[in-house]
Amino acid sequence: MDAYRLTSIRLLTGAVLMAGLVACGEEDVRETVTLQVEQAPEYMLPSREPEADRTVLSAPAQGTIGQLRGIIESNSLRQLTRLAGSQSGFISNFAGASHGDHWDLLRRTGFDPILRLEELLDGPYGVKMVAGETWYVWPELAALEPEALLPERLNFSQRARLEELVGEAGIAQVREGRGYPGIRTAIADDGRWLYYVHEITGEE
């Protein structure tokens, strides 16, 4: 075997051995690498909404929703007013106006009470206990107590949801400790329609 071929074989053998050593070195490195596992930031955690959609609506509450959806389908403000008037203690406004006058005025100003009620009922609800009674509340964030509704107490998705619902002006009201300031409605476990109120937040 001539010197040239001998030198080539030696070089090739050396390259193979070097590649093997590098591979072994990489394998050793992979075996010794450890990952640092840290707790994800709170805003990345799953939403901790107030029992939203976790508690099944009672049969009486579902019956009331059926009534409301029938009224929504007929688009009858008169029927909505009649149903509200039949509910003990029902609240539609805080100005002392009758349900019919209040909703008629809202409709004249461009706010459609029936359309907005449909939007509420199509969305998620929250559940809260009031004097030992279960209330189903739409939207879900309206079920939170004022201190729990502060943006700093919410996760990322909840804060985005709050801004979507009430805007910056509404969030300013929340920071004042006034509770959820937007459109909301509630039905008790026994089927009573409790309230359907609308407050001006300056973002509508």
Side-chain angles (χ1 to χ4, degrees):
M1 180 179 295
D2 57 37
Y4 175 78
R5 293 183 61 189
L6 181 59
T7 301
S8 298
I9 291 172
R10 286 174 177 173
L11 289 173
L12 179 61
T13 303
V16 170
L17 289 173
M18 181 63 69
L21 290 172
V22 170
C24 290
E26 290 178 348
E27 184 175 348
D28 290 342
V29 170
R30 285 195 296 270
E31 289 178 353
T32 58
V33 167
T34 58
L35 297 177
Q36 296 295 324
V37 180
E38 298 181 358
Q39 179 67 42
E42 184 179 354
Y43 67 82
M44 296 180 64
L45 298 176
S47 176
R48 296 197 301 262
E49 296 182 353
E51 301 301 319
D53 291 336
R54 297 174 190 168
T55 301
V56 178
L57 292 168
S58 66
Q62 292 183 47
T64 300
I65 290 177
Q67 286 182 279
L68 291 171
R69 290 199 179 279
I71 293 172
I72 290 168
E73 186 174 349
S74 67
N75 193 32
S76 173
L77 203 56
R78 180 175 298 179
Q79 291 183 34
L80 189 69
T81 300
R82 186 181 301 120
L83 177 61
S86 70
Q87 307 296 299
S88 176
F90 181 85
I91 299 173
S92 64
N93 64 93
F94 304 107
S98 69
H99 309 317
D101 288 346
H102 175 67
W103 287 331
D104 183 63
L105 177 61
L106 287 179
R107 178 172 277 183
R108 291 173 187 274
T109 61
F111 177 95
D112 189 332
I114 291 180
L115 177 61
R116 299 304 290 272
L117 180 60
E118 181 179 28
E119 292 173 354
L120 282 179
L121 295 179
D122 285 344
Y125 61 88
V127 178
K128 64 186 300 183
M129 297 298 295
V130 179
E133 188 175 57
T134 300
W135 288 12
Y136 308 106
V137 184
W138 290 260
E140 75 286 9
L141 291 179
L144 289 174
E145 296 300 324
E147 62 275 10
L149 192 58
L150 290 170
E152 295 77 15
R153 302 289 297 275
L154 303 176
N155 63 32
F156 180 81
S157 62
Q158 290 173 323
R159 289 196 296 271
R161 170 75 167 153
L162 182 63
E163 184 172 357
E164 174 192 358
L165 289 169
V166 303
E168 289 298 329
I171 290 176
Q173 294 182 33
V174 168
R175 291 190 182 282
E176 294 173 359
R178 297 167 58 179
Y180 184 81
I183 307 157
R184 54 200 184 276
T185 192
I187 299 174
D189 188 67
D190 63 5
R192 285 178 297 118
W193 191 23
L194 300 165
Y195 58 78
Y196 174 34
V197 294
H198 165 265
E199 294 180 50
I200 302 298
T201 63
E203 296 287 337
E204 298 180 31

